[in-house]
Amino acid sequence: MGGNRVGTTTQYDPRNLHLPEQELMRSGHLACPGCGAVIGMRIALKALGDNTVAVLPACCWGVLNGPYPFSSLKVPVLNVPFATAAISGSGVRAALELQGRDDVNVLVWAGDGGTFDIGLQSLSGAAERNDRLIYVCYDNEAYMNTGIQRSSATPPGAWTTTTPAGSPKSEPKKNMVEIMAAHRIPFTASASIAYPEDFFRKMQKAKAANGTSFIHLWVSCPTGYKAEERNSVKLARLAVETGMFPLYEVENGIRYTINHRPAFTNLEEYLNLQGRFRHLDEQQIEKMRRNIEREWTVLQAKVETSLMLEAAK
């Protein structure tokens, strides 16, 4: 699983993948073909092990796990209302502490709608209290479960059923990693299903944290993206390699580490694989390129600032 820290970058070799053989997911889930959220859950449970309770709010996973009394997960599952993912996780943690059970992982697994939008107040409260939760937002960039409606995680320029091609989303994607880092929680990170070892390591780091951990996981949704199922992981990889989705982590809201330096590949290769971006013209694509450059400049500045703060200790 190893990697080595090089300056501000932790490098991982995808050709040297080491994940446990234990499977905590059963076959027979109800996900669409190519669903990135299923890949993400499979890796997450490999990292956490079977001594885990999963809290699922209303989201794709609330459906694809299977109808009661069936479940595709080999760990206890608690289904909760849309807005209550984090506070329900806090309740599970409090109940476990009353029983003297501090060895159980509480995994809150929510989509972007239940995290960026509807569940943000609950999440912020849990983070402010530093409740010992592992909160993973699997972000497929829209309300995919209810009909591909726009969320604040939807990137600018994207088609959804509520932002049609004639008037696509113009607002920027909300930066949840920075919002959570501002709470000064022990561990905040971004991750991608296309880089499983990096995600696995971050889940283990979240497991060891003494307090709230938040991981923003990019997952593909071929159905919502109007993309081919076979390109699911490829899209996740291109989101990173084009620079659109940086892989980095923040410790205690201050110490920034970039985990992967992208190749900054041609953005159009990523866009052309998805029908949701088919309407974009060259001017709009160039605007997206400039935004990627700006965001990387900002991120690098934060890394350099955190190094200066460390040196001043």
Side-chain angles (χ1 to χ4, degrees), residues 116 174-183 185 188-191 214-217 245-246 248-250 253 256 299 302:
F116 284 61
K174 189 182 289 184
N175 194 327
M176 275 302 300
V177 172
E178 295 303 318
I179 290 171
M180 296 308 297
H183 288 75
I185 57 177
T188 311
S190 61
F214 177 86
I215 296 179
H216 179 190
L217 177 66
F245 190 80
Y248 69 107
E249 60 190 73
V250 189
Y256 281 71
L299 178 58
K302 290 177 179 177

Side-chain angles (χ1 to χ4, degrees), residues 63-118:
V63 175
L64 64 88
N65 184 45
Y68 180 84
F70 303 103
S71 174
S72 61
L73 302 183
K74 298 179 183 179
V75 299
V77 174
L78 180 65
N79 291 101
V80 301
F82 217 154
T84 68
I87 191 62
S88 298
S90 297
V92 172
R93 172 58 66 198
L96 290 168
E97 289 177 352
L98 285 173
Q99 298 174 36
R101 298 289 305 278
D102 61 357
D103 60 329
V104 180
N105 307 305
V106 179
L107 170 65
V108 181
W109 186 267
D112 51 284
T115 302
F116 284 61
D117 300 335
I118 295 172

Side-chain angles (χ1 to χ4, degrees), residues 292-307:
I292 290 171
E293 292 174 2
R294 182 174 61 252
E295 290 299 320
W296 269 93
T297 299
V298 171
L299 178 58
Q300 186 60 53
K302 290 177 179 177
V303 171
E304 292 170 0
T305 300
S306 70
L307 290 173

Side-chain angles (χ1 to χ4, degrees), residues 23-248:
E23 293 288 354
L24 293 174
M25 276 192 61
R26 301 180 178 93
S27 59
H29 59 72
L30 304 179
C32 303
C35 176
V38 170
I39 299 172
M41 177 66 87
R42 184 181 176 197
I43 298 168
L45 290 180
K46 282 179 176 288
L48 297 181
D50 56 9
N51 201 20
T52 300
V53 175
V55 178
L56 305 178
C59 59
C60 289
W61 252 102
V63 175
L64 64 88
N65 184 45
Y68 180 84
F70 303 103
S71 174
S72 61
L73 302 183
K74 298 179 183 179
V75 299
V77 174
L78 180 65
N79 291 101
V80 301
F82 217 154
T84 68
I87 191 62
S88 298
S90 297
V92 172
R93 172 58 66 198
L96 290 168
E97 289 177 352
L98 285 173
Q99 298 174 36
R101 298 289 305 278
D102 61 357
D103 60 329
V104 180
N105 307 305
V106 179
L107 170 65
V108 181
W109 186 267
D112 51 284
T115 302
F116 284 61
D117 300 335
I118 295 172
L120 182 58
Q121 181 179 5
S122 169
L123 174 56
S124 179
E128 189 273 334
R129 294 187 301 272
N130 199 29
D131 293 338
R132 194 156 66 89
L133 305 174
I134 302 166
Y135 192 110
V136 177
C137 170
Y138 67 95
D139 175 17
N140 52 26
E141 300 191 320
Y143 288 87
M144 299 303 186
N145 182 43
T146 56
I148 322 176
Q149 296 92 352
R150 163 215 194 278
S151 79
S152 60
T154 303
W159 166 93
T160 69
T161 55
T162 51
T163 54
S167 54
K169 184 172 184 268
S170 58
E171 298 81 7
K173 181 184 177 84
K174 189 182 289 184
N175 194 327
M176 275 302 300
V177 172
E178 295 303 318
I179 290 171
M180 296 308 297
H183 288 75
R184 299 295 189 263
I185 57 177
F187 185 65
T188 311
S190 61
S192 166
I193 59 166
Y195 298 82
E197 193 168 54
D198 176 65
F199 178 39
F200 181 92
R201 179 189 64 84
K202 287 169 177 172
M203 286 299 297
Q204 290 200 315
K205 196 166 184 176
K207 177 181 176 179
N210 185 25
T212 305
S213 295
F214 177 86
I215 296 179
H216 179 190
L217 177 66
W218 199 99
V219 302
S220 42
C221 176
T223 303
Y225 296 174
K226 296 184 177 180
E228 294 185 40
E229 294 90 346
R230 64 189 176 94
N231 289 328
S232 181
V233 175
K234 182 178 182 179
L235 286 169
R237 186 175 297 112
L238 285 172
V240 172
E241 293 301 340
T242 56
M244 287 196 72
F245 190 80
L247 297 182
Y248 69 107

